[in-house]
Amino acid sequence: MKRFALLVPLLALAFMLACTARPTPTAPTSADADLPSATMTPAEIVARATFTPTPAPTPTASPSPTPTPVPQPRQLTNAPGCCWAPFFLDDGRVAFLDKPSPEAPTGYYAVPLTGGAPERIETRIGYYMGDGRYFVFWEGEQVVIEDRRDGMQYRPPTEGRSVSLLPDGEHILWSVRDSDSSIPFDQRITRVWQARLDGSEAREVLRLQGGGVVALLPDGTWLLERTAEDDETVRVLERYNAATETRVELFRAARMRSERLAPDGGFLLFFVAQDQVRERNGMWLLPLDGGEPQKLPWFGAYAWEDGDHILYLPFQAAAESHQIRRYTISTGADEALTDPAQTPFKVAQNNFAFAPDRSGMVYVSATDLSLYWLPLPGR
């Protein structure tokens, strides 16, 4: 199993609509009273024809609208091959995994969006959870949870398994899968454990054949993935209520991958590959309120912007440049936020992260493996 995981917050951005204000109608002037009207007799109209018209104002040139600047990538680090798995810290800096020289330790380094020399911030390998409050790392076979606010450390009895923080911020989950190599991987039993942050009150709460916990929803329910009882090639996605120990099936297909929960918990986004039923392969949007699953008309790397918008980089194997697009769930609108002809860039192996304020994206360039910042229009 993996000894560590990287939690790379994927975050998003929005586009700007250029609007032109409508002119406000002007009120009638006193000169309008001298103009002919439909109630006048022909003689009155002739008599009024001798009035002196008010000179028209000299026309002035209207200012040309300022075009929206085309976004261009800006290099943040100048050491090729420097960076991997970028993500944003709560102070606005971009952190990434690196070993800047043979003598330097491997660890996490950070650089501001204005660029500059990267600063080493962590030499231990692990991942962040709880909106960055906790750093999880390993000491030998022991998982350590460190509270970055006060330095307090907890050592739960997970036998080296990584942990997830429950929405209450006080409990953790971890999964233990049987290691018997004589049993096919997807048929092995997974035992899910729960405990307090310090490891106290540890108890087994659930058993699954294959799979595990996919996501923890805001209402306290869990999303589980397991092997189907009647077909070991099929995976079942279901919603689990830990309080009542009840389950509701939501979706089934071959192994579902890259599951991403919407910020408000309303949808789950994932893709299916290598399913025997060809129509099941592709991107799927699953409403978690009981609605019908929706197959999306695009495929690519993705991140949530908010509960109604998805930011994604379309997969085009032969394309010389990537593109950022924005998909709106409620309307089906699919809009380009960058133009490859005007803003060329290429991301290396899915190494990108959107800023928390949706102002742009950081990415590792496939061209030189350096870190770049790409602002988005209107931000």
Side-chain angles (χ1 to χ4, degrees):
M1 63 175 295
K2 291 186 179 179
R3 293 292 310 281
F4 62 87
L6 294 177
L7 181 62
V8 183
L10 301 180
L11 301 165
L13 68 156
F15 74 100
M16 181 183 75
L17 293 174
C19 299
T20 304
R22 296 184 179 183
T24 303
T26 57
T29 64
S30 58
D32 294 333
D34 292 328
L35 294 178
S37 75
T39 61
M40 294 181 183
T41 64
E44 289 175 321
I45 292 176
V46 172
R48 290 292 181 92
T50 59
F51 78 96
T52 303
T54 303
T58 302
T60 58
S62 301
S64 300
T66 302
T68 302
V70 176
Q72 295 298 326
R74 184 173 73 244
Q75 190 169 0
L76 299 182
T77 61
N78 56 12
C82 79
C83 320
W84 209 248
F87 61 96
F88 282 86
L89 297 173
D90 52 10
D91 61 7
R93 292 184 297 168
V94 180
F96 51 89
L97 189 63
D98 191 21
K99 182 178 175 61
S101 70
E103 302 78 22
T106 300
Y108 291 100
Y109 293 74
V111 64
L113 287 181
T114 54
E119 174 190 358
R120 188 174 72 239
I121 59 173
E122 181 61 70
T123 57
R124 300 166 297 186
I125 304 301
Y127 60 95
Y128 294 84
M129 69 178 187
D131 294 330
R133 175 174 176 176
Y134 299 101
F135 183 70
V136 183
F137 64 99
W138 281 259
E139 288 182 349
E141 295 295 326
Q142 176 65 59
V143 164
V144 181
I145 304 173
E146 182 175 276
D147 190 332
R148 298 175 64 223
R149 295 182 181 179
D150 57 17
M152 182 71 71
Q153 293 185 346
Y154 307 103
R155 291 171 168 78
T158 71
E159 300 179 350
R161 276 78 175 185
S162 58
V163 301
S164 299
L165 187 67
L166 285 172
D168 64 8
E170 299 178 358
H171 292 83
I172 55 173
L173 286 181
W174 68 94
S175 298
V176 180
R177 178 168 291 188
D178 289 345
S179 57
D180 187 347
S181 59
S182 65
I183 303 175
F185 188 76
D186 286 341
Q187 296 181 31
R188 300 178 193 178
I189 298 299
T190 298
R191 301 187 303 277
V192 181
W193 286 73
Q194 176 177 313
R196 301 191 70 83
L197 270 171
D198 60 4
S200 63
E201 303 177 15
R203 61 188 179 92
E204 182 181 317
V205 294
L206 185 65
R207 289 195 179 195
L208 298 167
Q209 183 179 17
V213 179
V214 172
L216 303 171
L217 303 183
D219 65 358
T221 59
W222 307 351
L223 291 182
L224 308 177
E225 185 181 323
R226 62 175 176 82
T227 302
E229 297 92 340
D230 55 347
D231 188 347
E232 63 186 35
T233 66
V234 173
R235 310 288 280 188
V236 178
L237 185 69
E238 57 190 12
R239 191 169 191 158
Y240 174 69
N241 189 318
T244 62
E245 298 184 356
T246 55
R247 304 182 188 184
V248 177
E249 182 175 323
L250 302 175
F251 192 86
R252 61 170 57 204
R255 186 185 299 274
M256 290 154 271
R257 303 176 182 177
S258 297
E259 296 95 337
R260 299 282 189 275
L261 184 67
D264 59 2
F267 293 92
L268 185 72
L269 183 64
F270 58 93
F271 74 88
V272 174
Q274 299 178 336
D275 194 292
Q276 294 181 355
V277 180
R278 179 173 297 183
E279 291 74 17
R280 288 202 193 115
N281 294 317
M283 300 291 308
W284 286 90
L285 184 69
L286 179 65
L288 296 178
D289 60 359
E292 289 296 318
Q294 175 188 353
K295 189 175 181 181
L296 299 178
W298 52 265
F299 185 83
Y302 50 88
W304 285 96
E305 179 182 5
D306 54 41
D308 190 39
H309 300 94
I310 303 165
L311 303 164
Y312 72 98
L313 280 62
F315 175 74
Q316 297 173 324
E320 296 183 357
S321 172
H322 279 127
Q323 180 186 38
I324 301 176
R325 299 188 66 88
R326 184 179 193 245
Y327 180 78
T328 303
I329 297 171
S330 58
T331 65
D334 193 341
E335 304 152 300
L337 300 185
T338 63
D339 181 349
Q342 297 182 325
T343 309
F345 70 97
K346 192 84 169 184
V347 178
Q349 299 184 25
N350 209 27
N351 278 273
F352 69 94
F354 288 102
D357 62 359
R358 288 88 166 157
S359 58
M361 180 185 78
V362 294
Y363 67 95
V364 178
S365 171
T367 303
D368 60 11
L369 298 182
S370 290
L371 190 67
Y372 286 77
W373 163 250
L374 176 58
L376 270 295
R379 295 288 177 169

